[in-house]
């Protein structure tokens, strides 16, 4: 069993703490969901190097051999979800979308639709919409982006560590497996990112 210290770090013999303040972007007030990513880098070290500079990042990083690093405090927000959210009602069950709103949005040009959908989604509360940077933790798995629809396969050791990590986080934040998403599910990203991750 793990614990979380005052700094928002997960204390366990299974987690190595490597905090990078440069990727922390203000306070994260609530954790409602977990978002699984792949780094598009060959090793954890490549990601550590990029985390020395201010920019995008996530809270955890799992190396191909299953080693788990915590790279940001769980009390701090990281930029790991893209700027434009996808519509959850549209993906899950379109009949649950507000028909009048959707009609207005669909009358826009293709490009404007993405922005309008994002704006509309942000008026909702989780879980009616997908998670955002402001209410989720990001978990990166080391793995290269191969082509339009594929990333390297998540290793068995990574999936084993991911399962342990999400189980601990379910307990700490009262989440279930329904609160875990892959990056391309929730925002416009290369398909296939974290596609072979298994967490249940
Ligand atoms: Zn991602």
């Amino acid at each position: 069993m793990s614990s979380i210290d005052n700094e928002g770090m997960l204390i366990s013999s299974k987690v190595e703490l490597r905090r990078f303040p440069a990727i922390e972007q203000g306070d994260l007030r609530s954790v409602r969901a977990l978002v699984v990513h792949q780094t598009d880098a060959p090793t954890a070290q490549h990601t550590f190097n990029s985390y020395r500079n201010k920019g995008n990042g996530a809270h955890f990083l799992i190396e191909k051999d299953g080693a788990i690093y915590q790279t940001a405090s769980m009390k701090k927000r990281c930029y790991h979800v893209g700027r434009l959210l996808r519509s959850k009602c549209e993906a899950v069950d379109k009949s649950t979308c507000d028909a009048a709103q959707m009609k207005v949005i669909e009358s826009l040009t293709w490009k404007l639709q993405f922005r309008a959908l994002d704006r509309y989604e942000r008026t909702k509360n989780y879980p009616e919409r997908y998670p955002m940077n402001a209410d989720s933790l990001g978990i990166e798995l080391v793995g290269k982006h191969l082509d339009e629809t594929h990333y390297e396969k998540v290793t068995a050791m990574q999936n084993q560590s991911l399962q342990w990590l999400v189980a601990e986080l379910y307990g700490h934040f009262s989440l279930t497996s329904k609160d875990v998403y892959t990056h391309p599910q929730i925002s416009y990203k290369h398909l296939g990112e974290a596609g072979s991750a298994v967490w249940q």
Side-chain angles (χ1 to χ4, degrees):
M1 219 7 228
S2 63
S3 61
I4 298 178
D5 73 8
N6 285 336
E7 290 294 304
M9 304 304 282
L10 190 65
I11 306 304
S12 162
S13 59
K14 295 198 184 212
V15 181
E16 190 175 324
L17 305 181
R18 288 270 196 109
R19 187 173 172 182
F20 291 87
I23 62 166
E24 295 176 345
Q25 322 273 0
D27 292 337
L28 178 59
R29 276 178 289 274
S30 71
V31 173
R32 308 292 308 279
L34 309 174
V35 182
V36 184
H37 302 260
Q38 275 181 292
T39 57
D40 189 23
T43 69
Q45 190 58 51
H46 284 79
T47 301
F48 294 150
N49 293 344
S50 76
Y51 281 2
R52 293 206 179 89
N53 304 310
K54 207 165 170 59
N56 297 345
H59 300 84
F60 293 94
L61 178 65
I62 303 178
E63 179 58 288
K64 287 188 172 171
D65 65 3
I68 303 172
Y69 300 93
Q70 185 175 355
T71 45
S73 164
M74 290 183 279
K75 290 185 172 179
K76 296 289 179 184
R77 194 185 292 204
C78 288
Y79 293 161
H80 60 100
V81 177
R83 288 181 59 84
L84 297 176
L85 276 187
R86 283 179 182 274
S87 165
K88 189 176 182 183
C89 67
E90 200 173 43
V92 175
D93 177 4
K94 205 170 173 190
S95 72
T96 63
C97 295
D98 179 328
Q101 273 281 1
M102 294 307 277
K103 210 171 157 196
V104 172
I105 291 169
E106 281 164 5
S107 71
L108 300 168
T109 64
W110 188 243
K111 227 176 170 175
L112 288 175
Q113 280 187 31
F114 292 109
R115 289 176 185 285
L117 260 184
D118 173 75
R119 261 200 309 276
Y120 172 46
E121 288 301 310
R122 283 174 198 272
T123 64
K124 304 175 186 175
N125 292 317
Y126 184 84
E128 278 69 52
R129 57 156 168 76
Y130 285 129
M132 323 186 284
N133 292 321
D135 55 21
S136 64
L137 297 175
I139 301 171
E140 288 279 2
L141 308 176
V142 172
K144 286 285 289 173
H145 179 217
L146 301 176
D147 62 36
E148 215 37 63
T149 49
H150 294 89
Y151 274 71
E152 275 181 290
K153 205 167 156 30
V154 174
T155 71
M157 307 276 255
Q158 282 177 312
N159 271 328
Q160 207 176 355
S161 291
L162 177 65
Q163 279 155 30
W164 176 84
L165 179 60
V166 299
E168 295 297 311
L169 298 174
Y170 293 166
H172 290 303
F173 298 104
S174 306
L175 307 175
T176 72
S177 60
K178 285 199 175 73
D179 301 307
V180 187
Y181 302 83
T182 63
H183 194 183
Q185 248 184 306
I186 65 173
S187 68
Y188 304 91
K189 221 17 232 317
H190 298 294
L191 293 171
E193 184 183 342
S196 54
V198 179
W199 57 82
Q200 52 180 326

